[in-house]
Amino acid sequence: MTKSVNSRPSKSKPLVDESRASTSPSKWLTHPPSFLPDHQLIQQEEIGNQLAVNLQFAQEPVLLKGMEGSGKRCLVQQYIQRYQAQFQHIIWINCSHNIGEDIVRNEILLQHLGLQFASDVPLRARFRIMMRELRLLEGSKLMVLANFNKKYADLRLLKLLPKGEDWQVLITSRHELPNCKMMEMPLMNEADASQLFYQHYQAPLSAADVGKIVNELEYHPLTISIAARYAAHQHLNTQTLLDELEQIIQDLAPVNFSISKRVYYKTFQRAFAFIAGFLPEEEKELTVKALQTLAVLPPVAFPFHQVQELLDLSKDHTREVMENLEDAGLLLHQKKQDTFQMHPLINMIVVHRQRPKVEDLKQAIFYFGQQLKKNDPRRVSLLNSSFSLLFNLYQKDVSVANLQHQVALGYQELGVLDKASKLLGLALETLEEKKDKRQSAWRNNLALIEQQAGNAQTAMSLLLKTMRADVEQYGAMHPLTTSTQSNLALVYRDLKDYKKSTTLLERVYEVDRQQLPANHEKCAINSLNLATLYLDQGETEKVMPLLETILAEPTSSLLFCNTARLVALCYAQKGEAAQAIYWMQEVLQKNKARLGRLHPQVATDESNLAYFYQLKGDNNTAHDLLANALKSDILHFGKQSLVTASRYLQIAYLYVQMDNWDKAKESLLYCYKIRKLLLGEDAEETLAVKELLF
């Protein structure tokens, strides 16, 4: 009787039941990786068996640590091919950036788990939910996290990876990692290294000669493969190849990779020399250009037609170039799928030796961002890798700063404010160094992001700096200066410093009225902001005249809705529920026509209108409005989102007002479970609902 992988075998029994290989196909929960053809694999039995035993018995993830090009991926390929029949589910994640993002943004995996997250669900919460769902899967599971980069990863997430006898988690990386059982990936022995050399160099050489070559190459698999192809193409004999290797080490200028190990430096030098030396002279320019273009992409598989479109070559020329690179050992070609993939080490060498142009990087980023489908995990990998490469290579470049600014505003729209702030901060540093005139406007944008993120003090510091610069450059009365002052006043409002906020906003209001037409939108926005500030302080007698001025001639539908919403709130505070309902219905009607009946803003308006109906005592109408809002929340944000949780809480309060305690408890329970899941059991918001519930 043979035991399956999720139980511990006895010493006398094999780790796998080979007879099951054809009857128990694996189910991939992610895109399968591109593997080498079987005939190119060098079977390393000893290290392969050690890996199998470690995975079988480890109580934590197994870390396969080794340098770039040392054969980690090939060893994992051998393991999967040998043992895959034992697994009901296999997950392969290429760690292009932060492991949390690589997993939670893998649309294929999300589809298999039946998950869809709202934009307000934090990354760590998404990760925890996905790990919970993975643990619920039946049968034996294997998870591979390939090329784990300690530099970008949140190492705390390693503790959340699934565990148990039915789980095997394997991580490949160049770095040591905590909470893992580590095993070093050894370089090849002389016999295996020689076998790899002979795969690409068929001319007769003695075992002693090949031994000298692989020894000089320090048994590094990728370098041996490229060297053998180079030697075969150039018809080099043993001594000539050894002489060239020695010359490479002596002549090539050092490259700063911030890597301490001597063998890394030597490997980089040699591998690049083989890249340059292999290419036929008549095809060299075109092939090198293709190599540079492909090197800006992450080392994942791309279909031929996408590569052709990116290179902007004819089909025949593209095929010729790709075959040259494949012959040189620089690309892995999956013939069945007709996809091409570059080794990470080759990416690194080409990027630092043949530095790509900013425009080429931008072209690659935007082209593949548009071409790849949103559910293709390579799209996320591409964007993360290419942006990182772009920003690392071209720091303090205005062209890159422009791109950082665009991406930051995109993140702001998605609500990913930490990334938006970081990117825009980097872009702003470049503009300040270059003394670019746009720095004030960008600093204003950064302040708005910080304000949205709840960092009012940071926003205030940014705006004060901008205001001083604006006064110096444009004068105290210039519209750009008053715009900054208006933003600063709103930050003071967030800080509850109403005196400073009111003084500053009243000054802006008067200055703009003197300089701009009465119906100018900026004047209307100033009036709206000032009215909001007065309402916060209970000065309702000052509010309505300002709002009536806007409503007399609104410059846009959006401005009308924002103003009418404030009018409704004024009436509600005075206890005039009927008037509040009238104005809120006006807002709801316009926003439904403008945005559609299921838009999140419409749901917010329905919620506000429900509150006014509650004031009037019409709880049934309020209930219907909140039910519609809840449907919209679930549609846009999902059942497990903080927005949905807040809506359940609002509905619970309504049920209390209706004396329907069973329904109130049911809604409170929904809210509690969501907050407990996303925020944690001890979060203040969770505890507040728990107190109401229990």
Side-chain angles (χ1 to χ4, degrees), residues 433-465:
E433 186 175 294
K434 304 292 184 183
K435 302 188 184 307
D436 192 293
K437 292 182 179 180
R438 295 171 296 170
Q439 57 183 285
S440 290
W442 287 18
R443 198 179 295 112
N444 261 334
N445 291 341
L446 180 57
L448 179 58
I449 291 170
E450 294 292 350
Q451 185 183 8
Q452 287 177 319
N455 303 323
Q457 290 288 352
T458 304
M460 181 181 70
S461 299
L462 288 165
L463 290 169
L464 285 171
K465 184 176 181 179

Side-chain angles (χ1 to χ4, degrees), residues 28 51 267 275 284 312 394 494 592 600 603:
W28 285 88
L51 176 63
T267 299
I275 293 170
K284 187 169 183 175
D312 195 24
Y394 293 96
D494 289 347
K592 278 184 177 180

Side-chain angles (χ1 to χ4, degrees), residues 446-491:
L446 180 57
L448 179 58
I449 291 170
E450 294 292 350
Q451 185 183 8
Q452 287 177 319
N455 303 323
Q457 290 288 352
T458 304
M460 181 181 70
S461 299
L462 288 165
L463 290 169
L464 285 171
K465 184 176 181 179
T466 301
M467 187 173 69
R468 287 191 290 268
D470 286 345
V471 170
E472 183 178 339
Q473 185 172 356
Y474 306 111
M477 305 287 283
H478 195 277
L480 287 177
T481 305
T482 57
S483 291
T484 302
Q485 292 172 334
S486 178
N487 291 338
L488 181 59
L490 296 179
V491 171

Side-chain angles (χ1 to χ4, degrees), residues 31 96 102 105 107 298 300-302 364-387 414:
H31 276 309
S96 62
D102 290 325
R105 297 184 187 280
E107 295 292 340
V300 295
F302 289 98
I365 291 170
F366 285 119
Y367 172 78
F368 277 101
Q370 293 171 356
Q371 291 295 315
L372 295 179
K373 296 179 180 178
K374 289 186 177 180
N375 65 350
D376 191 332
R378 295 173 305 165
R379 184 174 188 271
V380 176
S381 176
L382 164 79
L383 295 176
N384 281 334
S385 298
S386 299
F387 280 136
L414 294 171

